Amino acid sequence: MVMFGMMFGDAGHGALLLLMALLLRSGRPRRLVQLRAMWPFVAGAGGTSMAFGFAYGEFLGPTKVLPVLWVAPLDHPERLLTAAVAVGVVLLALAYVAGIVNRWREGGPARALYAVSGIAGSALFLGLAGLAAGGYLHHTLLTLTGAVIAAGGLVLAASGLFAASGGGVPGATQTTIQLFDAVVRIFSNTFSFARLAAFGLTHAALGDIVWRGTTALAHAGPVGLIGAAAVFTVGNALAFSLEALVAGVQALRLEFYELFSRVFESWGRPFRPWHVSTQRTEVAP
């Protein structure tokens, strides 16, 4: 929900989502009554969208109805991009914590220590993060500390992968490839969270286009006012529909691929996902 709100940051559009959630909760429209149990998720998405809308100063676009409390996306995209990657680092760290717990429950302390999604992978991730932060801040001690932690994580992960591969030259080759893949995945997964900023910028840009068209027509007399109202209504409807779909898909994509890939592995107990219990109710016309 937080990732969705960051990409769909508009207080007006978030309020529409909250209204939709309340309608679902009340059982309206009746054709969607089977989705009634989903209303808390729609409400949560609307709430986070409103929160980021206040932070961005967006209300149905850059209408100047709200002041900018944090950053205007189109004015300072680099700040939004940095924040998106920082959010990704925090979420990945939490995913590694959950991964350590799961590896421990699946195979005990040894499994948790040597797994790429366990302590070894966590150390590699934190070490690389320390290296990047030390280089950015020109902090020598932080850089050296990150290098040591990353090296320790590599050694632990290599030991676990080599033992699982069966040893020998084929095992060493497989371990090398898997270590390379683990490092590449850490970088790609971390920077994949930049899409939180990218789609937030897209949403803001669409709102800006609609608002510019609206204000341009508003100064063209009575006919222009009618056109401005049409552009504002239709433009916001299109932006709401497209961006809600895109933000929802991208938030789920980040959750399942970047985060859940560290929590779950393809062995152990079968994964039975949590689901919303639904029932079909026939409604007389």
Side-chain angles (χ1 to χ4, degrees), residues 66-203:
L66 299 175
V68 178
L69 298 181
W70 174 45
V71 59
L74 297 179
D75 293 340
H76 301 283
E78 70 288 345
R79 188 185 302 177
L80 189 62
L81 180 62
T82 302
V85 175
V87 168
V89 170
V90 172
L91 291 176
L92 286 171
L94 293 175
Y96 272 114
V97 171
I100 292 172
V101 173
N102 280 358
R103 301 298 85 77
W104 189 295
R105 296 176 65 184
E106 292 165 356
R111 173 69 178 161
L113 179 63
Y114 294 106
V116 175
S117 58
I119 295 174
S122 302
L124 179 58
F125 172 73
L126 292 176
L128 292 175
L131 271 171
Y136 179 77
L137 299 173
H138 304 289
H139 196 290
T140 304
L141 180 60
L142 181 59
T143 302
L144 292 175
T145 303
V148 171
I149 295 174
L154 277 174
V155 171
L156 288 174
S159 300
L161 292 171
F162 186 73
S165 68
V169 175
T173 303
Q174 178 179 324
T175 299
T176 302
I177 294 173
Q178 288 177 316
L179 282 178
F180 178 77
D181 176 69
V183 173
V184 171
R185 283 183 61 193
I186 285 175
F187 281 105
S188 63
N189 292 164
T190 301
F191 288 104
S192 185
F193 283 89
R195 71 188 63 214
L196 296 178
F199 289 105
L201 287 168
T202 301
H203 193 187

Side-chain angles (χ1 to χ4, degrees), residues 48-77:
T48 56
S49 299
M50 289 186 67
F52 278 100
F54 282 110
Y56 299 159
E58 295 276 331
F59 183 86
L60 302 178
T63 54
K64 307 299 182 182
V65 172
L66 299 175
V68 178
L69 298 181
W70 174 45
V71 59
L74 297 179
D75 293 340
H76 301 283

Side-chain angles (χ1 to χ4, degrees), residues 256-276:
F256 281 100
Y257 187 76
E258 269 70 22
L259 302 181
F260 281 13
S261 63
R262 287 162 172 78
V263 177
F264 299 106
E265 290 193 348
S266 59
W267 69 282
R269 294 189 302 275
F271 172 51
R272 295 183 177 88
W274 178 86
H275 65 282
V276 178

